Amino acid sequence: MKFKGYKKIRIGMIQGTAIAAVLWTIFILPVYTPVKSSGNNIFKISLNGEYVGTLSSEQAARKCLRAARRLFAKGSDELVLADANMTMEADDVYFGEIDSSRTVRDNMLKVLEKNVSTTFERSYTVKINKYSVNLSSKDDVFALLQAALGKYDTENAYSVDLVADPSREVNVLTSEIVSKEEVEAKQSSVNLPEAGLDSAISEIFEKIKPLINEKEFDDYKLGLVDIDFGDKIEVVESYLPSSEITSLSQAIDEVTKDQETPQIYEIQSGDTLGLIAENFNIPLADLIDMNETIENEESMIRVGDEIIVTVPEPELAVDYTKQEYYEEDYEADIIYIDNDSWYTTKSVVVQEPSAGHRKAVALVSYENNKEISRDIQKEEVTYEAVPKIVERGTIVPPTYIKPISGGRLSSGFGRRKSPTKGASTYHKGVDWATPVGTAVMASNGGVVTRAGWGRGYGYVIYISHSDGRETRYGHLSKILVKSGQSVKQGEKIALSGNTGVSTGAHLHFEILIGGSQVNPLDYLN
């Protein structure tokens, strides 16, 4: 027996089943996207060889990777690098399972976190000339520069600030020194215009200002008045491996500790290698090693020569000025009286000196610990120094030259064995062996006082010079001047020979001072 409602029930069941199937498809089954068959339309994404999901386009995959990178770097001052080699396997399908962008992004983030390759920390690079150091924070930079300043700013009156370097286009910071006292004064002062009685009083004081007595010593404020770094400082932000970042204590030691810095030193009058080594606190052996031109401690040095020395200096120079009070004994400048009738080799002390005493306030400028200049602000002499007075000659003394060209020194000045019968055992000049007929020149300009035969000298010439000295030329073969004739230095006066008491062709030459022979070789230029 069939029920009348059976057909309706069956139809309802079919409809319900169909609806359930549709709902199951929508909410239970994975997402399948129907697409037209027009090329690759589904992409399986892998990151560093690990599958992270499937998306519908390459653009969507790259977008997910960018989002994963942002999350990876978020919330850290460090710059963390991770390997991110993304590959995609493309296919052309009518229906495909697609993952959500969030799922793919999260999967990528997990892969990045497992593949960290390098961590770079935020840091600050401080550059001073050729020296540079990396610090972990800006606070460390301030601490470093303040430590360099503090070596000389013992009262902590100045502070360091970092400002943009106007000479650089990139983001570079440089140092600026600020007086704490000036900053506090600016902050506490209110600059209001003067009016009425205040203005009138100011005008009166301005007019009588020149009449105010000079300051006394107690009125000067002593101590540091100005300070700045002597080297340009550049600070840039960067990301570096932790292995390249220096600790603050080490950086302070490197920047403030004196380093042995090579410098050029010009030899002064009175210098010796030992004295130079002592003055610069350098072992003599080290001074010799650093100069190729110096072979040993006996090597000759001349005024004006330049050698390498080392001077202790910090990496970062500090220039500063201090107002200082001091008392000292002092010497007055030497007073010279010129005598135009004396040679420059002659001088006589007319008055002996004695030291004076004074007290002073001066602005003294330094570079590190080296004084650069001194500007006296006030000076008071307790008792005057007595100057040394020296009378000195102004005439440059004549010079003497070798009277022949060439020749071999065959006999020196002084005691000797008699070379031949009749010859003296004390040689009063020097001999140069030279062929007969060699030109003989006047060693210095003067007046011929004798020209002729002179017993053991053979043919001989005497010349008197303006400095009171006399020269003699013996054993000549021919005389070319006569007595009373004036000759110039280098003028030809005779020919060499072998006359008189002689053992061979040569020139005998003498210089006499005060009538006594001296060693000519000590006076020839």
Side-chain angles (χ1 to χ4, degrees):
M1 181 177 180
K2 295 182 180 180
F3 295 99
K4 290 181 180 181
Y6 172 76
K7 187 176 182 179
K8 292 182 179 180
I9 293 172
R10 187 177 181 185
I11 292 172
M13 290 177 63
I14 293 172
Q15 290 176 341
T17 302
I19 292 170
V22 171
L23 291 175
W24 182 81
T25 301
I26 293 174
F27 294 104
I28 305 302
L29 284 178
V31 177
Y32 287 89
T33 304
V35 293
K36 293 181 180 180
S37 180
S38 57
N40 295 332
N41 54 17
I42 190 170
F43 297 85
K44 293 181 179 180
I45 313 301
S46 295
L47 190 62
N48 295 340
E50 187 174 339
Y51 175 74
V52 292
T54 301
L55 295 170
S56 61
S57 69
E58 296 180 3
Q59 183 180 359
R62 285 191 288 269
K63 186 176 180 181
C64 286
L65 182 57
R66 287 196 296 271
R69 284 182 180 277
R70 282 195 294 271
L71 289 175
F72 180 68
K74 188 177 180 181
S76 173
D77 285 338
E78 299 176 344
L79 180 62
V80 184
L81 301 183
D83 295 330
N85 181 23
M86 185 173 68
T87 59
M88 290 177 274
E89 182 181 344
D91 200 1
D92 180 15
V93 299
Y94 285 99
F95 290 92
E97 182 180 353
I98 304 299
D99 294 307
S100 69
S101 296
R102 175 175 292 184
T103 299
V104 175
R105 181 203 66 187
D106 291 345
N107 289 339
M108 287 181 169
L109 178 59
K110 293 176 182 178
V111 174
L112 291 176
E113 289 173 346
K114 290 190 297 183
N115 288 269
V116 174
S117 59
T118 308
T119 300
F120 290 93
E121 297 182 15
R122 184 193 296 270
S123 60
Y124 292 84
T125 299
V126 181
K127 187 174 184 298
I128 306 166
N129 299 323
K130 295 181 180 180
Y131 171 84
S132 64
V133 63
N134 306 312
L135 299 173
S136 61
S137 68
K138 189 178 286 188
D139 288 342
D140 280 1
V141 176
F142 281 115
L144 171 65
L145 299 181
Q146 199 68 47
L149 207 65
K151 286 181 65 177
Y152 312 101
D153 178 18
T154 55
E155 297 181 359
N156 197 28
Y158 293 82
S159 61
V160 181
D161 196 8
L162 291 177
V163 297
D165 188 345
S167 65
R168 300 292 297 272
E169 295 181 1
V170 295
N171 187 24
V172 176
L173 301 177
T174 190
S175 62
E176 183 178 75
I177 308 300
V178 181
S179 168
K180 294 181 180 179
E181 183 179 357
E182 292 178 5
V183 171
E184 292 174 359
K186 288 180 181 179
Q187 291 174 347
S188 61
S189 65
V190 179
N191 296 321
L192 296 176
E194 291 182 339
L197 181 61
D198 290 337
S199 178
I201 292 174
S202 295
E203 290 180 6
I204 292 172
F205 273 102
E206 191 63 32
K207 290 178 181 179
I208 67 173
K209 191 175 182 179
L211 301 177
I212 297 175
N213 292 330
E214 184 181 357
K215 291 195 296 185
E216 298 297 326
F217 285 107
D218 292 341
D219 296 330
Y220 287 90
K221 183 179 179 181
L222 305 181
L224 192 65
V225 297
D226 186 42
I227 192 168
D228 200 356
F229 292 121
D231 296 306
K232 185 174 177 60
I233 297 170
E234 295 179 332
V235 181
V236 293
E237 185 179 350
S238 56
Y239 285 89
L240 295 169
S242 57
S243 60
E244 295 185 18
I245 297 176
T246 302
S247 68
L248 176 59
S249 59
Q250 181 180 339
I252 290 175
D253 188 58
E254 291 178 359
V255 170
T256 62
K257 185 178 179 181
D258 286 344
Q259 313 290 333
E260 295 298 332
T261 306
Q263 290 188 5
I264 300 298
Y265 174 73
E266 182 177 326
I267 304 298
Q268 306 296 314
S269 177
D271 275 344
T272 64
L273 289 176
L275 183 61
I276 294 170
E278 181 180 349
N279 289 341
F280 285 95
N281 196 26
I282 307 170
L284 181 56
D286 293 350
L287 181 64
I288 295 171
D289 288 343
M290 67 179 68
N291 288 275
E292 294 182 357
T293 57
I294 302 176
E295 294 182 0
N296 53 56
E297 59 186 22
E298 303 297 330
S299 295
M300 182 180 294
I301 55 175
R302 298 178 177 84
V303 174
D305 287 351
E306 292 183 344
I307 63 172
I308 299 172
V309 297
T310 54
V311 178
E313 291 183 345
E315 292 287 357
L316 178 56
V318 178
D319 298 333
Y320 58 99
T321 301
K322 298 176 71 175
Q323 191 149 258
E324 300 178 355
Y325 170 84
Y326 59 95
E327 296 187 28
E328 65 176 1
D329 292 333
Y330 73 98
E331 302 286 343
D333 293 335
I334 299 175
I335 297 175
Y336 291 100
I337 301 173
D338 291 337
N339 188 323
D340 295 335
S341 63
W342 292 358
Y343 286 106
T344 55
T345 53
K346 181 179 180 180
S347 64
V348 175
V349 177
V350 177
Q351 176 176 280
E352 293 292 344
S354 65
H357 185 269
R358 63 188 172 194
K359 52 186 178 179
V361 169
L363 286 172
V364 187
S365 296
Y366 296 89
E367 181 183 48
N368 302 322
N369 290 315
K370 179 183 178 182
E371 181 177 328
I372 303 301
S373 64
R374 182 176 293 261
D375 182 14
I376 296 177
Q377 304 294 294
K378 178 180 176 63
E379 181 180 69
E380 185 177 294
V381 176
T382 309
Y383 50 88
E384 295 279 356
V386 176
K388 182 178 183 178
I389 301 177
V390 177
E391 186 175 6
R392 63 184 181 182
T394 61
I395 304 173
V396 177
T399 58
Y400 291 81
I401 62 174
K402 184 179 176 181
I404 63 170
S405 296
R408 176 179 58 84
L409 184 65
S410 56
S411 182
F413 179 85
R415 196 163 300 281
R416 67 175 181 176
K417 291 183 179 180
S418 177
T420 186
K421 186 177 180 180
S424 173
T425 57
Y426 190 89
H427 198 212
K428 297 179 179 180
V430 294
D431 292 343
W432 287 285
T434 187
V436 173
T438 300
V440 178
M441 283 90 60
S443 180
N444 184 35
V447 177
V448 177
T449 56
R450 180 177 178 181
W453 187 264
R455 289 192 177 184
Y457 285 106
Y459 287 110
V460 66
I461 296 174
Y462 293 9
I463 300 177
S464 177
H465 306 286
S466 59
D467 60 354
R469 298 173 183 175
E470 184 180 50
T471 53
R472 294 178 182 176
Y473 312 79
H475 308 299
L476 306 172
S477 63
K478 186 175 182 179
I479 295 175
L480 303 177
V481 293
K482 59 185 178 180
S483 182
Q485 181 179 337
S486 294
V487 295
K488 297 178 181 179
Q489 185 180 61
E491 184 177 340
K492 187 176 179 181
I493 59 173
L495 300 178
S496 66
N498 190 25
T499 60
V501 180
S502 173
T503 58
H506 72 283
L507 172 68
H508 174 82
F509 176 67
E510 296 177 8
I511 295 179
L512 294 86
I513 299 177
S516 299
Q517 286 91 343
V518 295
N519 188 350
L521 299 181
D522 293 337
Y523 297 88
L524 297 181
N525 287 339

